[in-house]
Amino acid sequence: MRIEDILRHSPLSSLETEVLLASLLAKERTWVWTHPEAQLSKNQEERWRAWMERRGKGEPVAYITQEREFFGRMFSVDRRVLIPRPATEGLISVAQAWLKKPANNTTEIDAGIVAVAKVLHVAEHIRTVVDVGTGSGCIAISLACEDPTLTVLATDISEDALDVARTNAKRHGVDTRIRFLQGNLLDPVSDLLEPFLLISNPPYVPSERTLSPDVDRFEPSIAIRAGADGMDVIRPLLEAARRHPSCCGFILECEEAQIPLLEEILNS
Ligand code: GLN
């Protein structure tokens, strides 16, 4: 099989086909479409067929290639963690701006999805960030890589997820700069004294919402769904943030429709 034939006959979108082929051949995507004549070895052909079968059964491309790009870097992923979403990259830019100048604001990062930023206490020069529910570690690691002066802590309730996050931190050379802590919400940082910004892409999808079957069947539901109104994690997280004396503010990914519920918690 030649690349050209695969690209022509693939039942997948050209993006998915290219990403899978690039990973199979350990090349860049640009290489794939500039080498239509390249021939797959017997072994590569066999793996390609197996991958197409997995994709045909709905398995997301990122779990097949075992990686996904986020904010310009590749992250190892598997079924223990949520696949990083492009929308979540918006949280990184919002956090960078917030650390320069803390402010309350809401930014649309995808259709109906927002990054909500709030100031809880005014503090000078916040240099510590706590990423709650770090999953693959994509938020914590991107922030640490982008700003070498930041101190980053990352928590997750799942030890399995933290394993993936630690692998990614090593992959990007920031494993000595990020403390990964197992536990619920802010519990692992209850003693943290320095002023910090809380950042999180928590599970926020209401339980009855229909998602694509690929998401529902393959990605960890604990990372996505959060009760009838999708607020089962956000609610205790915000309460913990307000109680924590060093939490100076937060940046949270959620649905636009959840903003009134979030304000209600903050005003209670
Ligand atoms: N922080 C990770 C991400 O944004 C995982 C989030 C989650 O598991 N809900 O992709």
Side-chain angles (χ1 to χ4, degrees):
M1 273 196 297
R2 293 181 315 158
I3 286 184
E4 190 175 27
D5 306 322
I6 291 181
L7 289 174
R8 190 168 317 132
H9 297 119
S10 171
L12 308 178
S13 71
S14 50
L15 173 68
E16 288 199 349
T17 311
E18 280 170 25
V19 169
L20 282 165
L21 262 177
S23 171
L24 182 84
L25 304 171
K27 303 277 190 208
E28 297 290 323
R29 260 178 64 208
T30 43
W31 190 95
V32 170
W33 34 269
T34 49
H35 294 76
E37 73 300 335
Q39 189 83 31
L40 266 62
S41 70
K42 275 273 155 301
N43 185 292
Q44 286 167 337
E45 263 187 54
E46 239 166 68
R47 285 181 66 210
W48 181 255
R49 290 214 176 83
W51 281 15
M52 291 305 279
E53 203 179 310
R54 285 167 68 183
R55 185 68 194 105
K57 288 183 181 150
E59 186 167 348
V61 168
Y63 287 154
I64 299 175
T65 62
Q66 299 199 303
E67 56 182 12
R68 168 57 55 92
E69 188 181 325
F70 182 85
F71 214 79
R73 297 180 183 84
M74 291 308 281
F75 287 81
S76 302
V77 293
D78 59 38
R79 289 185 67 174
R80 293 175 291 175
V81 295
L82 186 81
I83 299 167
R85 306 293 202 262
T88 305
E89 294 178 334
L91 256 64
I92 305 296
S93 322
V94 170
Q96 288 170 329
W98 195 98
L99 288 164
K100 283 200 191 100
K101 195 175 185 316
N104 296 331
N105 56 61
T106 300
T107 312
E108 182 161 36
I109 54 177
D110 198 357
I113 307 289
V114 290
V116 177
K118 295 276 184 202
V119 179
L120 296 175
H121 302 294
V122 179
E124 294 276 295
H125 206 58
I126 297 160
R127 295 283 79 203
T128 302
V129 179
V130 177
D131 174 24
V132 170
T134 197
S136 63
C138 60
I139 297 175
I141 294 165
S142 300
L143 287 171
C145 289
E146 294 293 319
D147 185 347
T149 68
L150 280 185
T151 298
V152 181
L153 296 96
T155 76
D156 206 292
I157 197 148
S158 155
E159 193 57 67
D160 271 352
L162 288 174
D163 258 2
V164 178
R166 286 192 191 99
T167 305
N168 280 317
K170 274 206 190 80
R171 182 170 180 169
H172 294 295
V174 288
D175 49 316
T176 54
R177 288 190 39 222
I178 304 180
R179 272 170 57 208
F180 291 101
L181 304 163
Q182 193 276 331
N184 193 35
L185 307 175
L186 286 176
D187 292 353
V189 296
S190 54
D191 295 337
L192 190 62
L193 292 178
E194 63 255 38
F196 70 89
L197 166 66
L198 159 65
I199 187 162
S200 183
N201 172 25
Y204 57 77
V205 177
S207 39
E208 297 303 315
R209 174 81 45 81
T210 311
L211 293 174
S212 114
D214 296 8
V215 172
D216 259 341
R217 283 179 31 237
F218 289 92
E219 294 193 77
S221 149
I222 185 185
I224 297 172
R225 295 192 182 269
D229 59 0
M231 297 292 287
D232 281 9
V233 175
I234 293 181
R235 205 170 282 115
L237 178 59
L238 290 189
E239 280 159 7
R242 287 176 75 191
R243 271 197 315 270
H244 199 304
S246 323
C247 183
C248 294
F250 63 82
I251 293 168
L252 212 62
E253 178 172 327
C254 66
E255 294 186 354
E256 198 169 9
Q258 290 166 333
I259 296 174
L261 302 173
L262 200 142
E263 298 287 355
E264 209 175 284
I265 300 167
L266 293 176
N267 295 329
S268 67

